[in-house]
Amino acid sequence: MSDKVTGIPVKRKTKFVDNSQNKSGTKTDSNFVNKSQKSGQSSPDKRGNSAEMGREGNMSKSANEKQNSGVEQTTENGVQDSAGNKTEKNMSSFECSNGVASLTYSSDQNVLYYAVLSVVTVLGFATRLYKLDVPAWICWDETHFGKMGSWYINHTFFFDVHPPLGKMLIAFAGHLSGYNGTFPFDKPGDLYGDTPYMGMRLMCACMGAALIPLVYMSTWLLCQSITAALIASSLVIFDLGINTLTRYILLDPILMFFIMVSTYTLLKFLSYRDSPFSVYWWFWLSVTGVFLSCAIAVKFVGLFVILLAGYSTIDDLWRLLGNQKLPLTEILKHFIARAFCLIVIPVICYMIYFAIHFAVLYKSGSGDGFYSSQFQSQLEGNRLYNISMPDNVAYGSRVSLKHQRTGGTYLHSHAHLYPEDHPPRQQQVTGYSHKDENNMFRIKPSHYETAQDNSYPIFVKNGDLVRLEHVPTRRNLHSHREPAPLTSRHFQVSGYGHDGRGDANDIWQIVVPGAVEGAQIKVVQSKFKLIHYHVKCALYAHDKKLPKWGFEQQEVTCNPDTKDSKTLWSVEEIRDQRLPNVSFEVYKPSFLDMFIESHAVMTQGNAGLKPKEGEVTSRPWQWPINWKGQVFSGNDHRVYLLGNPVIFFGLLVIMPLFLVIYLVHSMKVQRGVKTSKEVAEFKERTFSACWWAMIGWGLHYLPFWPMTRVLYFHHYFPALLYSCMLAGIILDYIIKMLCHSLPRSLSMLVFHTCLGLILSVTAYSFYVFHPLSYGMSGPHANHPDSDMHGLKWLDTWEI
């Protein structure tokens, strides 16, 4: 049976009955990958592990294969297989004088492993924390996420398209560092002054620095090569884009941290597949589920690492299913364990984050209008909180109408006309997501004026013909067969008339789908359509935003498709002293209702994110080629998000090179080209690891191609982490195979030269371009006196 599954080296337990020894007197293992370990012992990268660590490095000289009898091997299904005559582990012929370029593993490399891990970790923290306090003003999206952190500290409810965990962590870091949530975070460039902002930046920078050891350890778990792990982690250290992105108050360092922690714990769990249901097996499986929930609770992009975990889990279960010696009951246990830890635990944790979110944000804020009336009634300070209002709607009542599409807006109008480009020049009617007096309309019967407020109220019923008079301007809601401003296949909706008097195109019919005709219209509860009596179209609010002449509010039209389910409205607020009041508490939603509504609102908000006028955006094809970056800071301390061009352009070569190498390897295998056991196993392990990293890259990059929402360069960086892992593994493969093809006297020199060249080139390129990340001053790169002169390799770079 293969020792590798999807590139994850497998632990095997082997018991030698005859206690055979090698020349040095030390017992050896017949397996090529991780050595025998007691069930439940720590993984190879845990300090103090008494089991053999399986790391490459100094090895004894090659020993001839010895015959061993009476070997019993415990496979991953627990079945004892008779090995018969078993050969002792054959030392690699690829060893150099100190074994660094060896294709096989050794157990005496703990010191080297942890020494390299310590070095890359220190470098990671040093590059992220250096000059972290500058610039001392708001940079790019710090204005959004710093502001949201303030709202958490002040318990003020708000709307955002992302789940809450990342912003709660930012707020928590700010609270611990003494920030009281009073800084306004108005716009980029505003000075922080005495505001203690460093706590929030420090937390993000530390999470960004933690990416380096996580990439190092994850790469080692994939291919068990210190060289590959060193190269991969170095690429992350010296990439300017990752460095820049993890030094500010943003969600991206938090997201990438949880993605890489999830990756590491997943690989760690898979390394224990030969010790199923042991303590460490359960621990790493459960922890993987927790961190998967954290990843998606920061941004929905975290779904991609969940898909990666799902792929690995399905592949692992498929392998178990193919083991005919394993009972189906045992396979069922594996399935239930994975379903519980990778589905149930993440869902529970994810819901806990939202429960905390709702508990902390209990005060009314600017984002209330995106949510239903029932949701708003739970927020202190909201008009609907602990309010008593009439339960029915009567003619003469003043009401606000809320569109029932999730995250819907209020029907709104104001004393501004449509421009000449959209005749006739009547009063604008729009959708507005915030509470405002311009949202109030008076309901009137279609054929006569209402009586005075102290008269006996006549209730509005299903099927009634009504007119809606805008209270502040006293113009009626109106439609006609003129095309809408943006959606030309719909009809324009406007405000028309004077002092409440208009014409026949002001008449609308109230229709409650599924209700009996004549049923009374209830506040909040009744979901109805407003059908234009003459044009036969339904009132509708879009996601589309009007241009500046419409104050970027949402377009309201009359939809010819009256059966469209998205044309429903409800009465949220009613003012009528003639009617008895009832407590709004009767509409209180459950936690599950609020949880589901929040996700529907976030999903719609994400879909509605479109580029604003003059906004710098990018498309996925531009990201791998480093086409253009993003300005983080201007003024005299310019920070520009751009990937290290040496690393980015190098990856453009390395990734297709891997495909070519794999194709050549597959052709040789198909043609039956003979090779030694060590080389064959080395290639199998390498290519399995490369494909796993390639899948991780693809899952975090390719889904952006069909997206229509606004995208930015920073969306590529989670995928970049996997491409760095892939590059480290394939460069390690190329170097070692090159050393193998050379005489022993040259192999070590070539190995160190190649490794030193890779590390020095990436480090030097980081040094040359580091002002992009730490701040540029003086003239721009086009000017001969600029410090960046000659470094603007592409005209699209704004440096």
Side-chain angles (χ1 to χ4, degrees):
M1 183 179 294
S2 172
D3 289 340
K4 280 74 64 181
V5 179
T6 63
I8 314 301
V10 181
K11 291 190 178 84
R12 291 192 181 278
K13 298 189 296 180
T14 306
K15 181 173 71 173
F16 290 90
V17 178
D18 61 348
N19 296 324
S20 299
Q21 294 182 342
N22 61 14
K23 290 182 180 181
S24 63
T26 304
K27 286 189 288 187
T28 59
D29 193 341
S30 63
N31 291 291
F32 179 69
V33 292
N34 288 1
K35 307 305 181 292
S36 63
Q37 298 187 11
K38 295 180 181 180
S39 175
Q41 280 185 324
S42 176
S43 64
D45 52 15
K46 182 174 180 179
R47 191 181 297 273
N49 183 12
S50 62
E52 293 185 337
M53 305 300 286
R55 299 202 169 90
E56 58 186 350
N58 296 327
M59 302 176 63
S60 61
K61 292 184 178 180
S62 298
N64 295 328
E65 292 186 357
K66 298 180 180 180
Q67 297 295 324
N68 295 291
S69 59
V71 178
E72 291 183 342
Q73 187 179 42
T74 303
T75 62
E76 56 265 45
N77 60 9
V79 179
Q80 298 291 327
D81 297 329
S82 175
N85 293 329
K86 193 71 175 178
T87 58
E88 193 175 274
K89 179 178 174 181
N90 188 18
M91 297 304 169
S92 174
S93 60
F94 309 96
E95 295 178 47
C96 299
S97 59
N98 67 356
V100 178
S102 172
L103 302 190
T104 55
Y105 306 132
S106 174
S107 62
D108 56 356
Q109 289 304 296
N110 289 352
V111 174
L112 178 61
Y113 176 88
Y114 286 108
V116 175
L117 176 59
S118 300
V119 170
V120 297
T121 302
V122 169
L123 282 174
F125 276 88
T127 53
R128 272 60 184 169
L129 300 181
Y130 175 66
K131 297 177 67 174
L132 187 63
D133 58 328
V134 294
W137 55 69
I138 300 173
C139 293
W140 196 47
D141 271 358
E142 282 189 328
T143 186
H144 297 305
F145 302 117
K147 187 180 299 181
M148 293 172 188
S150 300
W151 285 333
Y152 272 109
I153 293 174
N154 296 321
H155 308 289
T156 304
F157 189 82
F158 64 94
F159 164 72
D160 186 41
V161 297
H162 305 301
L165 181 60
K167 292 157 306 209
M168 288 196 295
L169 290 175
I170 290 173
F172 183 65
H175 176 71
L176 291 180
S177 60
Y179 174 55
N180 59 8
T182 57
F183 187 72
F185 285 96
D186 284 334
K187 64 183 183 302
D190 287 354
L191 291 171
Y192 282 118
D194 296 331
T195 302
Y197 65 97
M198 277 297 293
M200 294 179 281
R201 276 194 184 175
L202 181 63
M203 183 204 70
C204 293
C206 288
M207 285 187 161
L211 295 175
I212 285 85
L214 288 169
V215 168
Y216 177 91
M217 294 185 294
S218 298
T219 305
W220 192 92
L221 284 171
L222 276 174
C223 64
Q224 295 191 331
S225 168
I226 295 177
T227 307
L230 172 60
I231 295 174
S233 57
S234 297
L235 294 176
V236 178
I237 291 173
F238 297 124
D239 180 71
L240 295 157
I242 297 176
N243 183 55
T244 304
L245 200 58
T246 55
R247 289 168 48 82
Y248 299 99
I249 306 171
L250 304 171
L251 296 185
D252 299 274
I254 305 173
L255 171 68
M256 291 192 289
F257 170 78
F258 285 125
I259 285 176
M260 284 314 302
V261 172
S262 300
T263 300
Y264 172 70
T265 57
L266 173 64
L267 294 174
K268 196 71 172 171
F269 159 71
L270 292 174
S271 71
Y272 280 92
R273 57 162 48 101
D274 278 354
S275 303
F277 307 110
S278 64
V279 173
Y280 285 103
W281 186 92
W282 276 111
F283 172 78
W284 289 110
L285 181 60
S286 302
V287 169
T288 300
V290 173
F291 283 117
L292 289 174
S293 72
C294 292
I296 196 171
V298 176
K299 280 187 176 183
F300 287 127
V301 173
L303 173 65
F304 301 148
V305 75
I306 293 178
L307 295 178
L308 180 62
Y311 155 75
S312 299
T313 302
I314 292 172
D315 180 86
D316 197 34
L317 289 173
W318 187 255
R319 176 186 60 85
L320 293 173
L321 188 62
N323 187 347
Q324 298 181 3
K325 296 180 181 180
L326 200 63
L328 288 177
T329 54
E330 192 74 8
I331 297 175
L332 182 61
K333 289 180 183 177
H334 279 274
F335 176 82
I336 293 174
R338 287 160 174 78
F340 176 76
C341 292
L342 299 181
I343 298 177
V344 176
I345 288 180
V347 169
I348 292 175
C349 292
Y350 187 74
M351 296 181 76
I352 289 174
Y353 306 144
F354 271 88
I356 298 172
H357 168 73
F358 295 142
V360 172
L361 302 183
Y362 57 84
K363 295 181 180 179
S364 179
S366 60
D368 297 15
F370 291 94
Y371 294 83
S372 68
S373 308
Q374 296 93 321
F375 193 108
Q376 295 178 45
S377 68
Q378 304 306 300
L379 302 175
E380 292 183 9
N382 189 283
R383 289 182 181 178
L384 302 180
Y385 182 73
N386 283 342
I387 196 174
S388 295
M389 290 193 308
D391 194 32
N392 298 93
V393 181
Y395 288 107
S397 299
R398 290 177 293 171
V399 299
S400 64
L401 300 180
K402 188 173 182 64
H403 194 214
Q404 288 304 293
R405 179 177 48 83
T406 303
T409 59
Y410 297 98
L411 186 65
H412 179 93
S413 188
H414 41 239
H416 296 273
L417 306 181
Y418 285 108
E420 294 181 356
D421 295 341
H422 303 287
R425 296 201 65 200
Q426 296 177 1
Q427 182 170 298
Q428 296 175 17
V429 173
T430 63
Y432 192 49
S433 298
H434 305 281
K435 294 181 182 297
D436 190 282
E437 283 302 311
N438 279 323
N439 299 343
M440 301 305 296
F441 290 80
R442 179 181 289 106
I443 298 183
K444 305 184 297 185
S446 62
H447 55 287
Y448 62 90
E449 292 294 329
T450 56
Q452 298 299 317
D453 287 347
N454 58 2
S455 64
Y456 183 79
I458 301 175
F459 293 108
V460 180
K461 300 180 178 63
N462 179 29
D464 284 2
L465 298 179
V466 301
R467 286 177 294 159
L468 296 170
E469 178 187 320
H470 187 238
V471 174
T473 62
R474 298 212 61 192
R475 286 176 173 165
N476 294 331
L477 187 70
H478 180 95
S479 186
H480 39 230
R481 295 189 177 275
E482 296 292 334
L486 304 181
T487 311
S488 57
R489 66 182 183 276
H490 288 193
F491 301 118
Q492 185 188 67
V493 175
S494 63
Y496 179 76
H498 180 71
D499 290 335
R501 295 187 296 274
D503 62 20
N505 279 329
D506 302 340
I507 299 176
W508 303 80
Q509 184 177 28
I510 295 181
V511 177
V512 181
V516 298
E517 189 169 352
Q520 291 185 2
I521 301 300
K522 298 284 188 179
V523 175
V524 176
Q525 300 177 69
S526 295
K527 308 297 186 292
F528 54 84
K529 297 183 179 185
L530 287 169
I531 308 295
H532 194 271
Y533 186 67
H534 293 290
V535 181
K536 304 301 181 186
C537 55
L539 191 67
Y540 182 78
H542 292 263
D543 289 331
K544 298 177 181 178
K545 291 186 178 181
L546 296 169
K548 290 183 178 179
W549 57 257
F551 306 97
E552 295 185 345
Q553 296 176 7
Q554 290 172 289
E555 182 188 36
V556 169
T557 65
C558 202
N559 188 353
D561 182 9
T562 58
K563 296 182 179 180
D564 191 335
S565 60
K566 297 179 180 179
T567 56
L568 293 175
W569 298 78
S570 68
V571 174
E572 176 179 282
E573 186 178 357
I574 179 172
R575 302 173 187 174
D576 196 330
Q577 297 178 354
R578 301 170 301 166
L579 303 177
N581 293 335
V582 296
S583 173
F584 214 89
E585 188 67 19
V586 298
Y587 306 123
K588 180 180 180 180
S590 65
F591 165 76
L592 189 60
D593 292 332
M594 298 172 70
F595 178 80
I596 294 174
E597 181 177 347
S598 294
H599 283 77
V601 171
M602 287 188 292
T603 301
Q604 182 178 313
N606 269 296
L609 288 176
K610 305 299 180 183
K612 297 180 181 178
E613 186 176 348
E615 187 175 14
V616 178
T617 63
S618 62
R619 294 304 303 168
W621 68 267
Q622 300 172 340
W623 303 341
I625 62 176
N626 216 20
W627 180 253
K628 63 179 178 180
Q630 174 69 47
V631 175
F632 267 42
S633 172
N635 302 327
D636 296 329
H637 190 91
R638 303 189 302 275
V639 177
Y640 190 64
L641 175 67
L642 189 72
N644 186 326
V646 173
I647 293 176
F648 266 67
F649 297 155
L651 292 175
L652 285 179
V653 176
I654 292 172
M655 296 182 73
L657 180 61
F658 156 65
L659 299 177
V660 172
I661 292 174
Y662 182 76
L663 178 62
V664 172
H665 163 74
S666 300
M667 293 174 64
K668 287 183 177 181
V669 172
Q670 191 69 16
R671 297 294 297 173
V673 176
K674 301 296 183 182
T675 186
S676 66
K677 177 183 177 182
E678 287 77 18
V679 173
E681 290 180 332
F682 175 67
K683 288 184 175 181
E684 181 185 355
R685 182 178 68 251
T686 297
F687 293 139
S688 295
C690 285
W691 277 117
W692 198 90
M694 178 71 85
I695 291 172
W697 172 82
L699 287 175
H700 285 81
Y701 171 57
L702 298 179
F704 287 105
W705 279 80
M707 290 187 185
T708 57
R709 59 152 286 172
V710 60
L711 296 173
Y712 305 97
F713 183 37
H714 69 86
H715 287 123
Y716 180 64
F717 285 90
L720 181 65
L721 297 174
Y722 292 95
S723 64
C724 289
M725 294 169 64
L726 171 63
I729 297 168
I730 200 63
L731 287 174
D732 170 66
Y733 170 85
I734 293 173
I735 294 173
K736 288 182 177 177
M737 293 306 296
L738 177 62
C739 292
H740 168 54
S741 66
L742 297 173
R744 184 180 295 272
S745 59
L746 292 177
S747 58
M748 182 52 60
L749 176 63
V750 171
F751 175 83
H752 284 125
T753 301
C754 292
L755 181 59
L757 186 63
I758 292 172
L759 297 179
S760 60
V761 167
T762 53
Y764 182 70
S765 64
F766 177 83
Y767 169 75
V768 171
F769 286 95
H770 79 275
L772 293 172
S773 185
Y774 297 112
M776 299 171 285
S777 59
H780 287 254
N782 291 329
H783 196 280
D785 296 333
S786 172
D787 294 336
M788 302 297 292
H789 183 66
L791 297 178
K792 188 175 181 179
W793 295 359
L794 297 179
D795 291 337
T796 51
W797 295 355
E798 301 171 297
I799 61 175

